[in-house]
Amino acid sequence: MVDEQERLLPIANVGRIMKLILPPSAKISKEAKQTIQECASEFVSFVTGEASDKCHKENRKTVNGDDICWALSSLGFDDYAEAIVRYLHKYREHESERANHKQQTSKARDVTGQHDHEDKEEGDDDEGLCLTDSPRGKGITSTRHRHPAPLEFRIIDRNETSPF
């Protein structure tokens, strides 16, 4: 059985998200953070489980963003699915543009003989150093990778038009 804490989203992250919505002077009790942590974790598990079942039926091993959107919609969370579909589309466009830019920059470097470290300006840090436990428990590994843009959720009043 999975340890209870391992199946829950990190409470510090949950608390940070909660603080974004509340006025700066608002306080959040530990009990409130734990309650939202459990609810959000259960919601993520519920949606992911539905997407995983779909993948299993299609003989696929990898759950992707489209599967999550499908699961949200099939579970009746159409408003969330629409927002995630829009975000996923924008994310993929951004990734495609970044890959094209990187490819063009690489070709230009090949022509000029310039190397990666020569054209990187100070403060131009779009990559992050990520320290993680290495597979098979052989210590800590560090990798450099680009962090995707964070998801942004907005509360939409059903009486107002969508801000998207």
Side-chain angles (χ1 to χ4, degrees), residues 15 18-19 22-33:
M18 291 173 73
K19 285 180 184 179
L22 299 171
S25 61
K27 304 286 186 213
I28 306 170
S29 71
K30 183 177 179 180
E31 181 184 24
K33 289 178 190 176

Side-chain angles (χ1 to χ4, degrees), residues 77-142:
F77 298 105
D78 294 318
D79 292 341
Y80 294 109
E82 291 170 14
I84 297 295
V85 165
R86 284 191 301 273
Y87 174 83
L88 193 57
H89 178 72
K90 287 179 183 178
Y91 175 79
R92 287 176 176 161
E93 280 181 348
H94 175 73
E95 288 296 301
S96 177
E97 289 171 7
R98 198 175 83 207
N100 289 339
H101 176 72
K102 190 173 184 177
Q103 187 178 27
Q104 290 171 353
T105 305
S106 178
K107 286 180 183 177
R109 281 190 207 118
D110 289 345
V111 170
T112 63
Q114 196 175 35
H115 299 285
D116 284 346
H117 64 278
E118 293 174 357
D119 65 342
K120 188 147 179 122
E121 297 178 19
E122 188 175 330
D124 186 19
D125 189 19
D126 58 353
E127 292 185 279
L129 181 62
C130 182
L131 299 176
T132 57
D133 289 332
S134 67
R136 299 179 201 103
K138 294 184 179 178
I140 303 283
T141 60
S142 66

Side-chain angles (χ1 to χ4, degrees), residues 5-23:
Q5 290 302 312
E6 287 184 19
R7 77 167 190 85
L8 296 175
L9 297 169
I11 197 159
N13 294 357
V14 172
R16 267 189 236 109
I17 293 168
M18 291 173 73
K19 285 180 184 179
L20 292 173
I21 304 298
L22 299 171

